[in-house]
Each structure stands twice: as structure tokens, then as C-alpha cells.
Amino acid sequence: MDTHKKIREHISTLVDGELSQADQELAFAALNTADGQQTWATYHRIGDVLRAQATPELSDGFGARLAARLAAEPAPGKRAARAAAAAAAGVNGAGGAGGAGGAGGAGGAVRDEAPGEAVAAKSKPAIASVS
């Protein structure tokens, strides 16, 4: 078995409080390495997430609205074609697909948004605008 995998298993078992006395020395030695410390932190984060309560911060219907917006998104290949067509048609002024600092950025996809939404889209995550 891979040594690193075995050490991670020992750390996982130690985190769970089930490591045998005979294997504890190896696990504690592993915790003195960067990989061991990373593994320890990762397993604790996993445990925290598994024990966490669902957050009530999302509004009613958030999941349905997000799913609808994701379904309306064009496939990745179609985005590039749409951006190229928009650039050829001169959408967004002389800057082409987004122009310098426009909604699409340098060579980015053209976004369907009203003036001022480009700034808002850059300042906060897209998911935040769904709720």
C-alpha cells in the first residue's frame, strides 16, 4: 500500500478516535509533516461539514430559480460561437466582445445584461444575484 495513503488512513482513524495504541506513534510523527497537518485539517473540515446544519439564508425557491437559470445557459461551445457572432456584429460598441473592461472582458463571452449590471456582476458572485 502507498505510504502516504497509509499515513492518511492513520490520521483519519486518529481523528475518529479509533486508532490503536500501536499505530499512534506513526500517526503523531506524520502530524509533524506539512502533508500530515494538511490531512488533519482536511479531515476536521469534512467532519465540520458533515455535522453542520443547513443554512436558512437562501430564500424560498432559490434552488428552482438557480436551476432555471442554469438550464437557460448556452452550452460552452455555443457561448464561444455567440461571442464571436456578437463581436462580428459589433455588439457592445467598438470594443467587440466585451471590449476593454466590458462585460465580456478580454476575449470573454458576451453577457446579456443591462448597463450597470456588468459592474455588479464583477463585484459579487453570480449566484448572489439569483436570490
Side-chain angles (χ1 to χ4, degrees), residues 18-80:
E18 298 176 1
L19 189 62
S20 69
Q21 192 75 20
D23 291 328
Q24 285 184 3
E25 186 176 340
L26 177 62
F28 289 132
L31 290 175
N32 288 326
T33 67
D35 184 50
Q37 291 172 6
Q38 172 84 27
T39 302
W40 176 266
T42 299
Y43 287 140
H44 275 281
R45 269 187 244 120
I46 290 169
D48 291 344
V49 168
L50 290 174
R51 288 184 297 275
Q53 297 289 327
T55 58
E57 300 164 3
L58 301 177
S59 64
D60 292 337
F62 173 82
R65 289 192 310 272
L66 178 60
R69 287 188 68 172
L70 290 174
E73 285 282 321
K78 293 181 182 179
R79 283 185 201 147

Side-chain angles (χ1 to χ4, degrees), residues 84-101:
V91 173
N92 285 335

